Amino acid sequence: RRELDLASLLGYAQALGLNTGQFNLCLSENKFEKDIAQDMLDAAQLGLKGTPTYIVNGYKIEGTLNSELWDKVILELLK
């Protein structure tokens, strides 16, 4: 389980080699807060309960799929 407190997030950013100055600025300004809130509202309206969830041609696919399963899904939807 990953911690999501500020110190942990900054540590993850540094460990990933991200530009920590930009990362800190993004966090402090809540730059994407509105976008995230809208995404969460959209997901709730669609009845999505977790990630990853995909909508393909109106079909909801929950969980991870390997390339073989994606091929099956795509081929079935092309029929």
Side-chain angles (χ1 to χ4, degrees):
R1 177 176 172 211
R2 297 279 181 185
E3 297 298 322
L4 299 177
D5 60 276
L6 183 59
S8 295
L9 292 175
L10 296 175
Y12 302 146
Q14 187 172 19
L16 290 168
L18 301 181
N19 179 322
T20 54
Q22 279 186 311
F23 186 82
N24 288 333
L25 185 62
C26 181
L27 277 179
S28 67
E29 291 182 350
N30 295 317
K31 185 174 181 177
F32 296 103
E33 185 174 21
K34 288 181 184 176
D35 296 321
I36 293 167
Q38 186 61 55
D39 287 347
M40 294 191 62
L41 284 173
D42 293 343
Q45 289 175 344
L46 292 170
L48 306 182
K49 297 177 181 157
T51 58
T53 301
Y54 306 93
I55 306 292
V56 181
N57 286 351
Y59 293 95
K60 181 169 53 171
I61 301 167
E62 297 178 305
T64 58
L65 299 179
N66 61 29
S67 61
E68 183 180 311
L69 287 174
W70 271 117
D71 288 346
K72 283 182 178 183
V73 168
I74 291 167
L75 290 173
E76 185 64 30
L77 291 173
L78 286 173
K79 288 182 181 179

